[in-house]
Amino acid sequence: PSRLPPPTIDLPLPAYIPEEYVSDLNTRLSLYQSLVEVDKVEQVEGLASEFSDRFGALPIEVKNLLYTIKIKALATRAGIESISTEQGQIILRLFDALQFNKQKLEPVSKDGIKLGTTQLRLNLKRLGGEWQEVLEDIIKKGGVI
């Protein structure tokens, strides 16, 4: 199958490498560069270890950044074109020829998840603090046909 372009990801999370965590600009830039090259979930765990070994405990912004990279890697494999945040909802959109497999997503369906054929919406208010887990679950279940 032809490779699809990587998805665009826009999550309601502060996701960056704070200056207080990595003060040297060139080091920060090279870390961002290594994050851009990540295309497998396993690489994210390796980077998390490298970050904590080199710079100490991960601040929340870096954890969020790594989470976003992980979601992007998962979404790339799942045929997701974009994950965006609009009006209190996270919206997953698939590439044109793809559809969500409702049967596969049945086990993760719950209040706050609205499943269409090519779009899935997560209601942040309804899902509360567990939306990140739910998002990851949905993408891992793959549910794409």
Side-chain angles (χ1 to χ4, degrees):
S2 66
R3 277 180 61 88
L4 296 166
T8 56
I9 311 282
D10 171 31
L11 295 171
L13 295 169
Y16 59 93
I17 302 169
E19 211 175 314
E20 305 76 57
Y21 186 59
V22 179
S23 56
D24 182 64
L25 178 62
N26 289 331
T27 305
R28 264 200 325 277
L29 291 175
S30 89
L31 291 170
Y32 279 120
Q33 191 54 50
S34 54
L35 290 169
V36 168
E37 291 162 11
V38 168
D39 59 0
K40 292 183 181 67
V41 176
E42 303 75 45
Q43 292 171 285
V44 175
E45 283 144 31
L47 282 167
S49 303
E50 183 191 326
F51 276 41
S52 58
D53 288 350
R54 287 177 66 188
F55 310 106
L58 304 179
I60 190 70
E61 298 87 353
V62 174
K63 286 181 182 168
N64 290 341
L65 183 61
L66 292 169
Y67 171 80
T68 304
I69 305 277
K70 182 178 180 182
I71 290 298
K72 187 171 189 168
L74 290 168
T76 302
R77 281 205 301 246
I80 292 170
E81 181 177 20
S82 69
I83 299 176
S84 58
T85 307
E86 294 168 29
Q87 299 160 338
Q89 297 187 76
I90 291 181
I91 301 166
L92 284 72
R93 289 186 177 84
L94 293 177
F95 281 99
D96 281 350
L98 303 172
Q99 292 185 351
F100 283 109
N101 180 336
K102 294 189 177 177
Q103 285 172 313
K104 270 192 179 171
L105 287 170
E106 201 62 54
V108 290
S109 276
K110 56 161 95 181
D111 190 34
I113 299 175
K114 195 171 159 202
L115 179 59
T117 317
T118 60
Q119 224 182 68
L120 189 145
R121 292 172 176 261
L122 302 181
N123 184 311
L124 292 172
K125 265 202 190 100
R126 289 226 178 99
L127 295 171
E130 56 180 76
W131 71 264
Q132 287 176 269
E133 215 171 284
V134 171
L135 176 61
E136 197 173 322
D137 250 12
I138 285 170
I139 299 171
K140 279 182 179 164
K141 291 278 183 289
V144 175
I145 48 177

